[in-house]
Amino acid sequence: MKTILTYGTFDLLHVGHVRLLNRARALGGRLIVGLSTDEFNSEMKGKRTVIPYDERKEILESLSSVDLVIPESTWEQKPLDIGAHGVHTFCMGDDWEGKFDELREFCEVVYLPRTKDISTTLVRQQVRTGSPTRDREAQ
Ligand code: C2G
């Protein structure tokens, strides 16, 4: 049973997030998600979330691909989380390609293909403008 670890904000959960989580879970038998807290998002990532941390956590915990959700409150906590949870593989979408290669000192690092044409920002724009959801190629 390999433990996989990934991190993110997962605000307004959409198919890009779900595909990433499913792909991550398929790398091993257990998936842990480091979920960015509201403070980490606003103070360190410059992100304003729509859905508060507790609800984003509850949503992720309801997914069959997610086994455990832990808070992400600093950029530096990843090595500690890898050690504490016996992580075999750390993975992120490939928009982060190369950004976490230093973690290869602690575990395998994998960047997974990002789903095109969908993002939390786009969802927010579509809700605001009422524009129709564009067809997204299955990936
Ligand atoms: N993602 C994806 N396809 C999309 C959108 C997102 O595969 N269309 C992936 C991202 O690459 C990331 C994960 O889904 O691996 C979560 O995305 P965000 O919630 O935007 O997280 P991010 O802001 O990238 O935070 O310490 C790492 C950070 O917390 C990552």
Side-chain angles (χ1 to χ4, degrees):
M1 172 80 74
K2 289 181 184 170
T3 297
I4 315 298
L5 174 63
T6 191
Y7 293 82
T9 301
F10 297 99
D11 193 24
L12 298 176
L13 197 73
H14 54 68
V15 73
H17 294 140
V18 168
R19 287 179 186 161
L20 185 283
L21 294 169
N22 288 339
R23 287 172 179 147
R25 182 62 150 60
L27 293 174
R30 180 169 175 255
L31 175 61
I32 300 174
V33 177
L35 184 62
S36 308
T37 61
D38 296 333
E39 298 76 15
F40 184 54
N41 276 311
S42 56
E43 290 158 26
M44 303 305 288
K45 293 172 74 173
K47 278 190 168 185
R48 271 183 315 107
T49 48
V50 175
I51 309 294
Y53 174 81
D54 290 346
E55 292 181 23
R56 288 184 285 119
K57 180 172 185 284
E58 186 176 341
I59 291 166
L60 287 184
E61 286 172 337
S62 73
L63 301 179
S64 58
S65 55
V66 175
D67 297 285
L68 176 65
V69 177
I70 59 174
E72 178 188 33
S73 49
T74 70
W75 291 112
E76 300 76 22
Q77 70 182 73
K78 295 182 176 66
L80 295 175
D81 292 340
I82 290 166
H85 295 281
V87 170
H88 179 272
T89 303
F90 165 85
C91 71
M92 289 299 294
D94 60 10
D95 48 315
W96 289 91
E97 183 81 38
K99 298 288 193 307
F100 295 110
D101 288 355
E102 77 279 1
L103 295 177
R104 295 194 198 284
E105 179 186 346
F106 307 102
C107 65
E108 191 179 309
V109 174
V110 172
Y111 299 101
L112 298 166
R114 182 185 168 90
T115 300
K116 295 180 182 60
D117 300 332
I118 182 76
S119 68
T120 301
T121 305
L122 188 60
V123 170
R124 289 171 71 159
Q125 284 166 355
Q126 286 175 326
V127 168
R128 201 173 24 247
T129 61
S131 58
T133 304
R134 288 180 293 156
D135 293 334
R136 269 179 284 283
E137 52 199 88
Q139 285 157 31

